[in-house]
Amino acid sequence: MREDMEQRACDLAVYIIENRTTVRAAAKKFGISKSTVHKDLSERLQYLNRPLYLQVKQIMQINKAERHIRGGMATREKYRNQLTKCHEKED
């Protein structure tokens, strides 16, 4: 079991680095929870593969800094879609 967790942590890190994706997207791709991904990357990986940990840490910090922007864009798109559907019903 331990080897599986170590390999998973490395695989997750490589996936996030190569695709410059978020913890949520990696969790969906690997079929595990966000909590597991975050624990693997922020706690386990630093002891398993320090250089890989440092790379993925940078991407996670960028994602954290940008998350409020992504959330605002998602909300804007949600209301834009609702408005479009409302206008379609009127026609």
Side-chain angles (χ1 to χ4, degrees), residues 70-85:
R70 283 194 213 105
M73 290 171 55
T75 302
R76 184 170 101 184
E77 191 64 29
K78 172 185 169 183
Y79 287 111
R80 201 177 263 173
N81 287 339
Q82 286 179 353
L83 186 62
T84 302
K85 289 178 183 177

Side-chain angles (χ1 to χ4, degrees), residues 1-47:
M1 183 67 173
R2 184 90 176 141
E3 292 173 7
D4 291 344
M5 288 191 316
E6 293 172 358
Q7 184 61 45
R8 181 183 65 210
C10 291
D11 291 345
L12 284 165
V14 169
Y15 177 77
I16 287 179
I17 292 167
E18 286 179 352
N19 297 295
R20 302 200 57 86
T21 190
T22 62
V23 168
R24 186 177 295 238
K28 187 174 183 180
K29 169 76 174 167
F30 284 78
I32 55 179
S33 72
K34 295 182 305 181
S35 303
T36 303
V37 173
H38 195 270
K39 185 170 184 86
D40 282 352
L41 297 178
S42 63
E43 294 178 19
R44 293 185 180 117
L45 190 62
Q46 67 179 318
Y47 301 110

Side-chain angles (χ1 to χ4, degrees), residues 46-83:
Q46 67 179 318
Y47 301 110
L48 300 173
N49 189 332
R50 183 84 176 158
L52 197 58
Y53 166 74
L54 294 173
Q55 286 181 318
V56 81
K57 182 180 173 185
Q58 286 180 335
I59 294 172
M60 289 174 62
Q61 287 175 338
I62 291 168
N63 288 341
K64 185 176 180 181
E66 293 175 349
R67 71 180 172 192
H68 69 284
I69 296 169
R70 283 194 213 105
M73 290 171 55
T75 302
R76 184 170 101 184
E77 191 64 29
K78 172 185 169 183
Y79 287 111
R80 201 177 263 173
N81 287 339
Q82 286 179 353
L83 186 62

